Amino acid sequence: DADVTQTPRNRITKTGKRIMLECSQTKGHDRMYWYRQDPGLGLRLIYYSFDVKDINKGEISDGYSVSRQAQAKFSLSLESAIPNQTALYFCATSGVPRTDTQYFGPGTRLTVL
Amino acid sequence: RKEVEQDPGPFNVPEGATVAFNCTYSNSASQSFFWYRQDCRKEPKLLMSVYSSGNEDGRFTAQLNRASQYISLLIRDSKLSDSATYLCVVNGNKLVFGAGTILRVKS
């Protein structure tokens, strides 16, 4: 079984809809991250969490929110989706001893029409 | 100037060739460096970490030049299966991902 899983894997939605992307991990890592990837751009950090009670904004958090329900679960929400949020979204984890090494989930391809 | 810059390619090389990619970074305080491999529409996976001057793993060699602020990835004896996008990642006070370099190895 994969260490980091994401659901759904693909989603098509309409402008204005609320969407939740879910991430679960079995690696036992404390740190979890949400990124988006757009063609020609590097992965950009949306939100990150170093433990259940710690949530931090990344460089592009506007229009997104997150919830860390447990050590193993980290969800990303788009409260009112817009077309420029169409992208590939990745969840990642990291933990001791190398907290700077990231382990990625398989990604969610989101299309907002 | 972007924090991490990579030549997007694509690099088209025949099987067995040696190919090298460079990645430049702007934060001189960066402490650790990584190369990730990403197959089409898949997640990035760690290929190599670079914490000192360089690292070698089989056909892959990564080198760090702090004075000139770049890291390189050398792939020897290229295989068809090496075809992918290679992401450079730099850790200063945060992880910054390059946009990637596309490699296509052809028979």
Side-chain angles (χ1 to χ4, degrees):
Chain A
D1 288 339
D3 294 322
V4 185
T5 57
Q6 292 183 232
T7 57
R9 296 292 314 278
N10 290 281
R11 182 71 182 268
I12 300 173
T13 190
K14 294 182 178 179
T15 297
K17 294 292 187 181
R18 183 178 188 274
I19 298 295
M20 180 180 285
L21 309 183
E22 299 187 344
C23 176
S24 295
Q25 54 112 348
T26 58
K27 298 186 75 67
H29 286 166
D30 288 328
R31 302 184 179 200
M32 298 187 73
Y33 310 80
W34 276 104
Y35 292 91
R36 66 177 279 176
Q37 187 175 39
D38 299 277
L41 298 177
L43 276 81
R44 292 181 292 166
L45 184 63
I46 305 171
Y47 270 96
Y48 63 101
S49 169
F50 284 176
D51 67 39
V52 175
K53 296 181 180 180
D54 176 76
I55 302 288
N56 303 281
K57 293 183 177 180
E59 61 179 297
I60 54 163
S61 59
D62 288 348
Y64 302 95
S65 62
V66 291
S67 173
R68 184 82 184 265
Q69 301 95 323
Q71 186 204 33
K73 296 184 181 295
F74 193 35
S75 300
L76 176 72
S77 293
L78 288 67
E79 297 301 326
S80 180
I82 56 177
N84 77 359
Q85 291 177 313
T86 293
L88 185 55
Y89 289 84
F90 287 106
C91 173
T93 74
S94 70
V96 294
R98 299 301 326 186
T99 57
D100 54 2
T101 300
Q102 307 253 304
Y103 297 87
F104 288 87
T108 295
R109 185 165 297 279
L110 177 65
T111 302
V112 183
L113 301 176
Chain B
R1 180 186 175 187
K2 290 183 179 178
E3 292 183 78
V4 176
E5 293 198 72
Q6 297 183 248
D7 182 341
F11 285 63
N12 295 299
V13 303
E15 275 187 291
T18 296
V19 61
F21 313 133
N22 278 342
C23 167
T24 58
Y25 61 94
S26 60
N27 182 359
S28 60
S30 298
Q31 292 299 313
S32 53
F33 309 85
F34 307 87
W35 284 102
Y36 280 74
R37 172 198 168 119
Q38 185 174 24
D39 293 298
C40 188
R41 298 173 181 261
K42 298 281 184 71
E43 72 272 26
K45 293 184 178 180
L46 181 66
L47 179 66
M48 299 185 75
S49 306
V50 186
Y51 295 107
S52 58
S53 60
N55 192 10
E56 183 172 331
D57 183 5
R59 298 183 294 109
F60 298 84
T61 300
Q63 291 194 315
L64 169 63
N65 185 317
R66 288 188 185 274
S68 299
Q69 294 183 208
Y70 76 84
I71 61 173
S72 62
L73 178 67
L74 180 76
I75 305 175
R76 290 180 294 276
D77 188 22
S78 298
K79 312 291 185 188
L80 293 174
S81 57
D82 293 335
S83 296
T85 299
Y86 291 83
L87 308 179
C88 170
V89 183
V90 176
N91 186 24
N93 57 355
K94 60 179 180 177
L95 282 178
V96 181
F97 287 77
T101 296
I102 297 171
L103 172 64
R104 297 179 183 147
V105 182
K106 300 187 181 298
S107 59

